[in-house]
Amino acid sequence: MQPSIVGSSSFGILWTKTFNPKELWYAKPLVYTPPGQKQLVFTASNQNWIRTFDAVTGAPLQARQVQPPFLVSDIGCTDMPNTIGIAGTPVIDPGTNTAYFFAKGYQNDAASGGVAKGIYKFYAVNILDLTDRPGFPVLIDGNNADNDPTRYFVGGTVLQRPSLTLIDGNVYGTFGGHCDLFNYTGMVTGVSTTSGVGVTSMFAMEAAPGGPPAVTDIMVQKGGKAGIWMSGMAPSTDGSRLFVVTGNGQGHENKDTPASGRAPLSTLDEVVANLAVKNGKLSLQDYFEPYEYIGMDAGDRDLGSGGVALLDPTVFKGTNGVTRMAITIGKNGKAYVMNADNLGGFKLGPGATDNILQTIISPNAVFGGAGSYPLEGGYVYFTPVGSPTLVYKLGLDQNGSPLLSKVGQSVDSSAGRVGVGVPTVTTYKGQAGTGIVWVTDVEAGLKAYKAVPDSSGNLVRITIPPTGGLNKFQRPAFGDGRLYVTDSNARLICMGSPVSIPLNCTGPVDFGDVTIGQTKTVKVQCTALIPITNINGIKIQDATFQASNSSLPQGSLKTGDQFSFPVTWNLTQASIHDAAGASFGAVSPGVKTSSLVISTTNGVAQYSNSLPITLQGNEVSSAPFLSLSPQEVDFGGIVVGSPGAATGLDSSFIIANIGSFPLKILGYAYTGTEIDDDDGAAMEYTNATASKDGYIIGNGFTSSDLPAVGSTIPAGQSLTVPMNFNADQVGNYQSLYSVWTNGGAKYILLTGSATTAPIAELAVETDEGGWDKNGVMDFGTVLAGTTETRRLRICNVGGSALLITKSKPPIDPELRAENPTSDLHEGQSIPPTECAYAPIDIAANPQPPNNPSHDVSNVWILNTDDLTFGVHDVEIKATITSRQLGPTYANGTGKYAYLGCYSDLNPRQLQKAYNLGTSNENGACQTQCQSLGYTFAGTEYHTQCWCGNLAPNGTKYTPESAKKCTFGCANDTTQACGGDGTYISIYYDSSKYQPDCKAVPCSSSSSSSSSISQISKSQSSTSSQIPTSLSTTSTLSSRTSTSTSSALTSTTSTSVSSTASPTSTTISSTSSSASQTSTTTSSTVGPQSTGGWKDLGCYKNGPSGKSVDTYAYRYYDDLMTVETCLAYCKSKGAAYAGIEYRCVVGLSSFSIVAH
């Protein structure tokens, strides 16, 4: 990628692709060129769809869904919406044209099934046609860990988030948890690429003897955790070893005792682990564990929110034996720079601190990790949440140990929430001066910067067309001058420069070394690719680069015509200091780049009218030249009295000689805390002096390794000077630290602050508008069809910024955080004395009147870096009720409960019609039907009221989701009175009737408000038949940090008993997305004695004859009851009475009563 082209008007969005609703890509797109074929783009989505596209045109090539995805509703974790399919970026083996990936779904390729039936499969597909390779997919579930056979893989409880790594015929994937829920153990899984071999390694990050004992209940959080998620970053490898980083865990085998990284450790939580790879098997070879890891666990400050960057060993190394460097950075905002061959173990550093190369303090948490650029001296980049992208440059201290010093940052800041991707660096053909840093942002979209900061320390942004917010933790994929990203609107985006350029010119144009005060000229060679009417001219960004339009060809060019023109880099008028007569101001030695744009008038349409060419060279000073970087070192804040205060905060700066003659150190001095002199007097400086802690270089600032006065730095060399800030008094500290040399004098600004610890104070808003610091957020009763809102609040009453380290908001349909990704989000910083708020809604779905009430509840899981705070499960609950109309019981509950919406065509569901006209609504109709003794009441066609005693036919039932009953009632349009197409809204007298599967199909969706599982209820009636409760409990998703229910469960039961009759009825129904439970209905009618009549039992009324010769009498009435029938038969002097769909005197086919 050429900076001049990327920053030109010809660079833009070439094509986009959008696919299924709610389809997202967490796996990054991959670019691949099969041997002898066109380049293609491979994608894998959260819906388990894999696709290939023509990389140039975007034309779809192949598509396939490998299996139905796992449903997020089964776990109650909000990190990923809707579905979980392929989340870890696949890996492609170019030797076999095979793509490998893990996909989450259910047993037997079902579309649902709950946590217990969730599985992971490992796929190997032909990249050309997406068909499975023989012997694949491989089921991962059920395999035991090699280092602890009591632990085994359960796919439903884990998430495969990081990208995959391929080593010697084995693909390695890493697994973490879903919001730290369930009984899971972080694992590294290896699968052979050879057909029939399957899983070759399963390494558990928490194992015996130190890990918690394995338990079989997948719902309890006793698996040890130590998940590997790394914000999607792949495990790093340099051939025979694998580096991973873990998060929070439950096993603390090291406790507080120092330990070697080479010694066995079975509880690998909050560690950087170096796993040896041998014959496909994994074993622990080395590790680093921060000295404060137990506190990191308590505060949910995952070390494992970022992966390990193995830096280029040809550049990033020391002269003291350090040949390989590794860096990781996570939620705690500390970047740990390690010796990759000796990670550091636990508490082996000075004062029982970390035994690593360097610790860098970031202003905020980092997710995803660090990127690097091995040219121009070596740079490292990372982007904290809500902060600029920071730039660090490699240097060496006086002992040859490598150190990174901050040398710049971007002017703009990243999104103030989790999701910014790992900085990715590209060059044009590996040439210095062409580096571009790419950063993906969930709000600002794709951003590009020049890889090397300017002389002011600014990471210069390159203007590119906006993409809109991108998916979390993305990084672009690149191929042949194009790049590919995915956004939060389910788009695959291709960006690049139009292929149709008019000229092919040599570039970038490299001038090499040019001494300040001299010039150098290079010729640019160009060939016309199309007929060109005219070369219009040249524009150059930097005035020190010069070219004349007169050197360009005049007139038209044919295809194939060649020409050349000279470009001169003129440094004769440049000065390394601001001085009178210097035409171009002060310059500094080093690599410089600019762009030259040739403008054309083309003889062929649809070709670009401009061609950018990169110009670059290295400015050289003939004298010594002092460079100090960065210009400012902000150490951030130290918490007085905290464990970290014992060692202070570390940083460094670079003293460099970028001239061509040895640089001699003449002296050092620093100012006091007052660095501004308003009266114009010279500031007072104090010479740097030695102390027991090293050289004092400011109030609170020291250096343990300052080059001696009189020492020299050779031309082109540099020294990195370590610094430390520490203070035992609260306050702000600052100093100007100056260095005098024979190559100039410069200073850097040192700043730091000392504060007290953050203190988190949690409260929920009450219904009166106050705040309850200890209570549950109980909304009480919420009317269906309305929304009520209350807020959750976290205040920082401490003395330093408070960081939210864990936040898992509820996002259920009727109970949800209003802004789950931005309010109280992970990584949010709350300044002292300030509060952060999150509104929570109970958005009760509209329901027909007289529906049973139901409870909704969930928790918002929160933690902060206040170590006294701990994990909080903020309980939120409400009872959602519908309007109660018509006749009511003494407690105000409607006597007629809603049964459902039915088709009322051929035949009618209810038998008696009453036209209530403009006064019709459900309450009025129910009152009418009750007054006439009817069990069922229904409304239809706005104005019609229907009554009856026969239950409606279940085959005519329609679920509420079908929205068939949508006609407003004549007297209240907010109620439904039937619907278009002859649909009727039916209610039933709950004192006379309980729904069964004949009226409401038991297979109806549990989401329907009128299904058996929701209209059944708990009733207890006295002799007056007044129910004391009418409710349904629905827990949409249950999540806590200690124990959890994974399934979407609705459980209801009905128990009806009456003191007036020995009859009892029980109807129970349980529906669950995790396990399907059949509905059982039982009814017991005991021997009765009614006015001298005795029950003889239930008999079949055969089609060809009766049990006696003839019926003496038959009696039909929609108001039929047992008592009515018996009274009628007695009046006829009959000895037998029977009831079926009518009353018969003499014989009954269902119930014979002898008098």
Side-chain angles (χ1 to χ4, degrees), residues 122-124 132-139 191-199:
F122 176 77
Y123 284 83
D132 290 327
R133 293 297 190 188
F136 294 91
V138 173
L139 180 65
V191 186
S192 175
T193 59
T194 301
S195 174
V197 176
V199 175

Side-chain angles (χ1 to χ4, degrees), residues 908-943:
R908 292 281 187 181
Q909 298 301 307
L910 303 179
Q911 292 72 42
K912 299 294 183 180
Y914 301 92
N915 192 335
L916 300 186
T918 58
S919 64
N920 190 49
E921 48 88 22
N922 288 292
C925 181
Q926 293 160 18
T927 301
Q928 171 81 4
C929 293
Q930 187 199 39
S931 68
L932 299 173
Y934 286 101
T935 301
F936 297 93
T939 55
E940 190 171 357
Y941 284 123
H942 309 288
T943 60

Side-chain angles (χ1 to χ4, degrees), residues 123-329:
Y123 284 83
V125 300
N126 184 331
I127 196 72
L128 301 179
D129 59 16
L130 304 186
T131 58
D132 290 327
R133 293 297 190 188
F136 294 91
V138 173
L139 180 65
I140 307 301
D141 286 65
N143 283 277
N144 296 79
D146 298 326
N147 57 329
D148 186 351
T150 66
R151 301 177 190 276
Y152 55 89
F153 190 94
V154 180
T157 65
V158 294
L159 173 65
Q160 200 285 300
R161 186 67 180 90
S163 305
L164 306 188
T165 302
L166 174 63
I167 305 175
D168 294 336
N170 291 276
V171 176
Y172 295 92
T174 55
F175 293 82
H178 292 289
C179 296
D180 277 341
L181 302 175
F182 311 117
N183 176 12
Y184 82 91
T185 305
M187 290 192 178
V188 183
T189 300
V191 186
S192 175
T193 59
T194 301
S195 174
V197 176
V199 175
T200 56
S201 184
M202 186 78 70
F203 188 90
M205 306 310 288
E206 293 275 338
V215 296
T216 57
D217 186 350
I218 65 173
M219 307 309 293
V220 299
Q221 295 182 32
K222 295 184 178 180
K225 302 187 179 181
I228 307 170
W229 70 286
M230 303 190 299
S231 298
M233 196 171 175
S236 300
T237 183
D238 54 8
S240 61
R241 53 186 181 172
L242 200 67
F243 291 82
V244 298
V245 193
T246 60
N248 300 331
Q250 296 169 320
H252 299 153
E253 184 179 355
N254 276 336
K255 295 182 171 55
D256 205 33
T257 305
S260 168
R262 304 290 180 174
L265 181 65
S266 59
T267 58
L268 296 168
D269 51 288
E270 307 286 15
V271 304
V272 177
N274 170 359
L275 301 176
V277 181
K278 186 175 181 180
N279 298 326
K281 293 292 185 182
L282 300 172
S283 61
L284 181 63
Q285 183 169 263
D286 188 15
Y287 73 87
F288 162 68
E289 187 168 46
Y291 72 87
E292 72 267 46
Y293 81 101
I294 294 178
M296 292 168 65
D297 270 352
D300 277 302
R301 293 180 289 179
D302 287 2
L303 181 64
S305 69
V308 175
L310 291 178
L311 306 180
D312 186 338
T314 64
V315 175
F316 293 93
K317 59 184 178 179
T319 58
N320 63 340
V322 177
T323 59
R324 289 182 175 87
M325 295 172 62
I327 182 171
T328 190
I329 183 168

Side-chain angles (χ1 to χ4, degrees), residues 104 124 160 198 308 390 450 470 487 625 635 642 659 694 730 745 789 802 825 847-848 959 1018 1102 1136:
K104 185 162 185 169
Q160 200 285 300
V308 175
L390 307 179
K450 291 184 177 180
L470 301 178
D487 71 3
F625 190 95
F635 286 83
S642 69
V730 172
T789 303
L802 177 74
H825 61 81
Q847 295 180 1
S1018 176
Y1136 296 93

Side-chain angles (χ1 to χ4, degrees), residues 982-1005:
T982 319
Y983 283 91
I984 183 171
S985 305
I986 297 181
Y987 296 76
Y988 63 93
D989 186 336
S990 58
S991 68
K992 293 182 179 180
Y993 171 80
Q994 288 301 313
D996 56 25
C997 295
K998 294 179 180 178
V1000 181
C1002 294
S1003 60
S1004 297
S1005 168

Side-chain angles (χ1 to χ4, degrees), residues 742-820:
N742 64 341
K746 293 189 176 182
Y747 66 83
I748 58 175
L749 173 63
L750 308 179
T751 61
S753 65
T755 61
T756 57
I759 300 174
E761 188 177 81
L762 178 69
V764 298
E765 192 173 22
T766 65
D767 56 355
E768 297 90 3
W771 294 96
D772 183 357
K773 297 179 182 178
N774 301 303
V776 172
M777 186 177 285
D778 188 351
F779 283 81
T781 299
V782 178
L783 185 64
T786 65
T787 297
E788 291 192 14
T789 303
R790 292 189 193 173
R791 293 176 295 168
L792 185 62
R793 182 185 75 182
I794 295 181
C795 292
N796 180 7
V797 297
S800 55
L802 177 74
L803 183 70
I804 298 177
T805 56
K806 173 174 283 188
S807 180
K808 309 300 178 186
I811 54 169
D812 296 330
E814 292 186 296
L815 188 166
R816 64 182 295 117
E818 275 191 9
N819 306 296

Side-chain angles (χ1 to χ4, degrees), residues 70 105-108 110 112-119 141 155-156 218 1074-1076:
F70 187 87
Y106 296 98
Q107 296 173 12
N108 303 316
S112 62
V115 176
K117 294 185 178 181
I119 62 169
D141 286 65
I218 65 173
S1075 59
Q1076 302 298 321

